[in-house]
Amino acid sequence: MEHVPALDEDLKKTLGPATAKVLAEQLGLHTALDLLHHYPRRYAERGELTSLAELADQIDEHVTVVAQVADARILTFNGGRGKRLEVTITDGSGRLQLVFFGAGVHKPHKDLLPGSRAMFAGKVSRFNHKLQLAHPAYEPLGGDASDRDAAAAFAGQLIPIYPACAKLESWKIAKCVDAVLPSAQDAVDPLPPALREGRGLVPLTEALLKIHRPGTKADIEYARQRLKWDEAFVLQVALARRRHADSQLPAVPRRPSPGGLLDAFDAKLPFTLTQGQQTVSKEIFDDLATDHPMHRLLQGEVGSGKTMVALRAMLAVVDSGGQAAMLAPTEVLAQQHHRSITEMMGELAEGGMLGGSDRGTKVVLLTGSMGMPARRQALLDLVTGEAGIVIGTHALIEDKVQFHDLGLVVVDEQHRFGVEQRDALRSKGKQPPHLLVMTATPIPRTVAMTVFGDLETSVLDQLPAGRSPIATHVVPSKDKPHFLARAWERVREEVEKGHQAYVVCPRIGDGEDDPKKKATEDDGDRRPPLAVVEIAEQLTRGPLAGIGVEVLHGRMDPADKDDVMRRFAAGEVKVLVATTVIEVGVNVPNSTVMVIMDADRFGVSQLHQLRGRVGRGSAPGLCLLVSEMHEASPARARLAAVAATLDGFELSRIDLEQRREGDVLGQAQSGVRSSLRMLAVIEDEEVIAEAREEATRVVAEDPALERLPGLRTALEALLDTEREQYLEKG
């Protein structure tokens, strides 16, 4: 009897060491189960020709096409010594050239006769303005013409096209899948039977067979629906179990005392909180008053007043006798927060000091570059409880740092912190402290449910009164150089009105980020990204001569960075040429214009973040996106989308649709591949929302999943140790 590989069996046993090595190294597939979950990207029909029109967007990518040979001819060169076979294939609407050289021309010349069909796989390149595949691998789609029935069946068959690599073409992967497909019968079904039947989903074994070897297009649809549910449900169960476990942890309830620090702060505010700020504050205060830790994500547009909401939460905790820590991703941002918080609090931030309020507390800063005496004093203030609020970078996490009674941790710009760092800070409380995560990157609801599903979400989408609109325009510097000249004139005009400007570049240009070392990152013959140091020099000599231009980037000495930021905030520096170090938290209301050089090299969300640095005062903001990319390019379409809307939630959807969900489970955080192969978090909003409801119900009834062994097994497979830690530390 034929050997059926076990699902956890290493592919070496089934496929041999050479093939298994390529699958493991190139595609991350190690076991029969991994291979069963390597789904086809699309399906070609043998009876119809596959579109070649989309290949123009896939230069340098490995593709698989199904097409018909139109003609084939052997050409000679080098006085007849060299031979080249040129084959033209067509799909009726477009043509593609295949080329073979040298001694290898005879076999394809014999196989690829005009009129024959085949599958071709290779890397798309452009030669003499024509698309071509050089030395493609091919698999003829023959069939015995004498057997009419077999030929008809053959023509109607759906051919799975798998995500492939240079060393292993799609049809070879299909043969590997054939070898492990019998083991699909042993796959453990994670869905509770009642859920599966209630939603009319096919059993898992059937779904795996249909996704790999569909008889009809309906088979593919049934299989996809089922496999999407698996991914959504298993992930939501993991998150629901996290929420359930957190709700069982003890925490000290923190309630503000009447007539205390929070009331004193509110009384001196020169403005009223927006309706959104009041609503979100109530949600946070309700959470802080419970005896299990708050886990809340506060997301809001750039400038929607998140810091104010976080500060009031910190003051409430100090009122109740605890301490609050705010963790910022960079020193520039930590110093900025410290400055703005002490300014907002005034004498309330000088507790125990001469001239300080008797209801006040001490607000200390702790960063890696502080001098020893200041650092020693800050550490002492924390351990004695003298300092109610500390703002710092990851220096807060070091073993030496001890708190008197840590009650609340506020993490700013969550995606910039490793999970271990957040976890280390949370472990410094006597009991688990409450956690508030802030992000200015608006996240679509389904992404929040998928990525931050163990956090309750609050959204601030209202801008405080007095914030000005920001006009955004694309500046096509190559097609219309006079537009760029006008951009610099606009900067000069704003400076002459007494305002300030940012110029943002993708690279520092101080010699350490030599573009030659990173040549592979650039697209073929594109020039290196523009650099801060070079652009600052050009502007000082040219269009902005006579204006105070300074640079700011991450490799500067911390004291120099702080000095530049202070002078910019004070209005002494008129134009700041910087990297994305200014992307978050930098608040200079007098800045009205931002020019982003090589804007096409930044992501949509990043451009939106950067733009939020201007228009923070009463004067309107202007953001100019400079790009050399052609008007019809996808990069220019992205920039046009940013220019067309100030709605961060809309932009985050566009961004996600373009990047897909490769890092949904925190690839950047934990270094593992995304577990989402079938689920698209934007398109499958409904499935995710329903899966969350079902998961919450299942976990509430059976937190340890004792009655659902299949689900427990699936959970263990999804959440290998690394990913489990990622969720736990979220």
Side-chain angles (χ1 to χ4, degrees):
M1 191 185 141
E2 194 185 333
H3 166 68
V4 175
L7 290 169
D8 57 357
E9 190 170 290
D10 193 301
L11 290 170
K12 281 190 198 113
K13 283 190 184 171
T14 320
L15 306 173
T19 304
K21 188 175 183 225
V22 176
L23 287 169
E25 288 177 1
Q26 302 284 318
L27 299 168
L29 307 173
H30 303 275
T31 65
L33 189 63
D34 289 346
L35 192 47
L36 286 175
H37 286 302
H38 185 69
Y39 306 131
R41 177 181 285 154
R42 60 185 179 84
Y43 301 84
E45 289 183 68
R46 280 193 162 124
E48 66 183 45
L49 298 177
T50 306
S51 166
L52 299 176
E54 59 206 43
L55 294 187
D57 295 333
Q58 299 184 50
I59 301 292
D60 286 342
E61 283 190 30
H62 287 276
V63 298
T64 303
V65 296
V66 177
Q68 185 168 353
V69 177
D71 61 63
R73 56 206 173 118
I74 288 183
L75 305 171
T76 56
F77 54 95
N78 277 355
R81 289 194 299 279
K83 286 187 176 175
R84 181 170 85 242
L85 169 65
E86 287 186 358
V87 179
T88 306
I89 58 172
T90 178
D91 66 354
S93 65
R95 294 164 89 80
L96 177 68
Q97 193 169 58
L98 316 176
V99 288
F100 301 86
F101 293 98
V105 301
H106 298 293
K107 187 170 186 323
H109 193 218
K110 199 167 73 198
D111 293 341
L112 302 174
L113 300 171
S116 64
R117 282 201 185 94
M119 274 199 287
F120 303 93
K123 193 175 181 180
V124 183
S125 58
R126 202 185 285 280
F127 181 73
N128 279 345
H129 309 296
K130 278 186 184 172
L131 291 180
Q132 68 169 28
L133 299 183
H135 280 283
Y138 61 89
E139 178 90 334
L141 299 177
D144 186 351
S146 63
D147 186 342
R148 290 284 171 86
D149 294 343
F154 187 91
Q157 192 178 337
L158 291 161
I159 305 166
I161 307 291
Y162 288 92
C165 59
K167 293 182 179 173
L168 211 59
E169 295 89 14
S170 170
W171 55 84
K172 288 184 181 164
I173 293 174
K175 285 173 181 166
C176 296
V177 170
D178 281 337
V180 300
L181 208 48
S183 62
Q185 67 201 24
D186 300 325
V188 182
D189 201 321
L191 296 189
L195 189 160
R196 186 170 61 72
E197 287 154 19
R199 296 192 174 271
L201 299 167
V202 299
L204 177 59
T205 304
E206 192 182 323
L208 289 170
L209 292 171
K210 283 182 168 166
I211 200 75
H212 289 291
R213 299 296 172 261
T216 63
K217 287 179 180 171
D219 282 352
I220 300 169
E221 202 39 53
Y222 287 134
R224 279 190 173 146
Q225 271 314 103
R226 164 62 216 244
L227 295 167
K228 278 178 181 182
W229 252 95
D230 278 17
E231 287 178 9
F233 181 68
V234 174
L235 180 56
Q236 290 301 335
V237 166
L239 294 164
R241 289 183 79 192
R242 259 308 346 120
R243 292 195 298 276
H244 183 270
D246 287 338
S247 71
Q248 308 300 306
L249 288 173
V252 179
R254 308 282 178 175
R255 296 182 184 85
S257 48
L261 183 56
L262 179 62
D263 284 351
F265 176 76
D266 284 349
K268 67 193 283 299
L269 276 181
F271 53 82
T272 348
L273 296 176
T274 64
Q275 184 57 53
Q277 284 174 317
Q278 290 174 31
T279 306
V280 169
S281 289
K282 184 181 182 314
E283 290 171 352
I284 291 170
F285 289 155
D286 288 349
D287 280 0
L288 289 174
T290 61
D291 55 9
H292 57 83
M294 164 172 83
H295 287 93
R296 190 164 282 280
L297 172 71
L298 171 57
Q299 57 175 83
E301 283 287 11
V302 175
S304 58
K306 291 182 300 299
T307 310
M308 173 60 73
V309 169
L311 174 56
R312 293 183 73 246
M314 293 196 285
L315 295 175
V317 169
V318 175
D319 253 355
S320 73
Q323 291 169 293
M326 181 185 259
L327 195 54
T330 63
E331 292 210 355
V332 168
L333 193 49
Q335 287 158 347
Q336 175 92 29
H337 276 317
H338 183 252
R339 249 195 318 272
S340 63
I341 283 173
T342 47
E343 278 167 18
M344 282 195 276
M345 287 177 66
E347 76 280 4
L348 295 173
E350 296 165 1
M353 290 185 263
L354 207 60
S357 163
D358 55 353
R359 285 188 290 186
T361 187
K362 222 174 185 183
V363 179
V364 299
L365 176 70
L366 190 63
T367 63
S369 65
M370 280 169 73
M372 210 50 206
R375 188 178 172 76
R376 204 174 283 127
Q377 184 59 51
L379 291 171
L380 188 65
D381 289 342
L382 285 178
V383 78
T384 59
E386 187 87 3
I389 294 176
V390 59
I391 294 148
T393 54
H394 51 266
L396 277 177
I397 293 160
E398 290 167 14
D399 292 344
K400 288 194 216 57
V401 181
Q402 292 186 335
F403 291 85
H404 176 64
D405 178 16
L406 181 60
L408 170 67
V409 174
V410 178
V411 178
D412 191 13
E413 288 303 321
Q414 118 102 28
H415 59 285
R416 293 173 173 248
F417 278 99
V419 287
E420 289 76 14
Q421 292 168 312
R422 294 203 300 276
D423 205 40
L425 188 54
R426 273 165 66 178
S427 68
K428 287 184 177 289
K430 294 188 176 87
Q431 283 194 326
H434 298 280
L435 175 70
L436 179 65
V437 171
M438 299 198 297
T439 177
T441 309
I443 305 161
R445 175 170 156 265
T446 43
V447 184
M449 281 196 298
T450 310
V451 185
F452 304 112
D454 56 338
L455 300 175
E456 298 302 328
T457 306
S458 294
V459 178
L460 272 178
D461 49 11
Q462 224 181 335
L463 288 188
R467 284 298 301 268
S468 305
I470 304 168
T472 308
H473 302 285
V474 179
V475 177
S477 55
K478 204 169 191 174
D479 310 346
K480 299 178 179 170
H482 58 288
F483 276 36
L484 182 59
R486 176 69 189 125
W488 300 128
E489 281 172 20
R490 284 291 288 116
V491 170
R492 195 174 261 285
E493 286 163 14
E494 287 298 310
V495 170
E496 281 164 4
K497 285 185 202 164
H499 297 305
Q500 290 158 277
Y502 296 101
V503 178
V504 181
C505 303
R507 192 165 63 88
I508 296 173
D510 59 356
E512 284 189 45
D513 58 348
D514 184 351
K516 290 189 187 96
K517 292 178 193 163
K518 299 182 183 169
T520 52
E521 290 176 21
D522 289 315
D523 309 329
D525 52 5
R526 275 185 86 182
R527 61 158 172 71
L530 294 171
V532 166
V533 176
E534 293 149 22
I535 291 293
E537 199 177 315
Q538 287 171 24
L539 293 176
T540 311
R541 286 190 191 154
L544 302 184
I547 291 174
V549 175
E550 296 257 359
V551 301
L552 181 73
H553 58 73
R555 275 207 288 271
M556 285 166 64
D557 180 88
D560 294 345
K561 267 194 287 196
D562 197 39
D563 177 55
V564 172
M565 267 320 298
R566 272 180 196 287
R567 288 188 296 114
F568 187 65
E572 294 164 29
V573 174
K574 300 300 178 190
V575 178
L576 191 62
V577 184
T579 55
T580 54
V581 70
I582 59 139
E583 180 186 344
V584 287
V586 174
N587 183 23
V588 179
N590 191 41
S591 306
T592 53
V593 61
M594 174 177 285
V595 182
I596 303 178
M597 308 302 290
D598 278 347
D600 48 272
R601 294 179 188 259
F602 298 96
V604 169
S605 293
Q606 201 173 23
L607 291 169
H608 181 60
Q609 284 277 17
L610 286 164
R611 162 171 70 183
R613 301 299 115 214
V614 295
R616 298 176 79 88
S618 52
L622 173 66
C623 178
L624 302 172
L625 307 173
V626 179
S627 172
E628 289 188 354
M629 297 303 278
H630 188 270
E631 193 172 359
S633 66
R636 277 285 292 277
R638 265 202 340 263
L639 298 183
V642 175
T645 179
L646 288 171
D647 182 341
F649 286 92
E650 177 56 32
L651 288 173
S652 69
R653 287 183 81 98
I654 292 167
D655 193 21
L656 196 82
E657 279 162 5
Q658 287 174 346
R659 285 187 300 115
R660 301 298 295 164
E661 292 85 21
D663 53 358
V664 156
L665 242 190
Q667 203 167 0
Q669 300 271 9
S670 65
V672 292
R673 286 171 76 232
S674 163
S675 63
L676 304 186
R677 297 177 178 89
M678 191 59 79
L679 195 70
V681 292
I682 289 287
E683 294 158 29
D684 300 318
E685 196 161 346
E686 215 172 283
V687 174
I688 292 167
E690 288 173 10
R692 182 180 164 109
E693 275 175 37
E694 293 275 14
T696 307
R697 189 179 51 72
V698 164
V699 171
E701 288 169 9
D702 181 9
L705 307 179
E706 284 168 1
R707 298 191 292 279
L708 298 166
L711 178 54
R712 216 167 52 235
T713 307
L715 209 53
E716 283 157 14
L718 168 80
L719 301 171
D720 50 36
T721 329
E722 233 176 338
R723 238 189 241 118
E724 180 74 271
Q725 284 169 350
Y726 166 71
L727 287 172
E728 281 183 1
K729 294 170 185 173

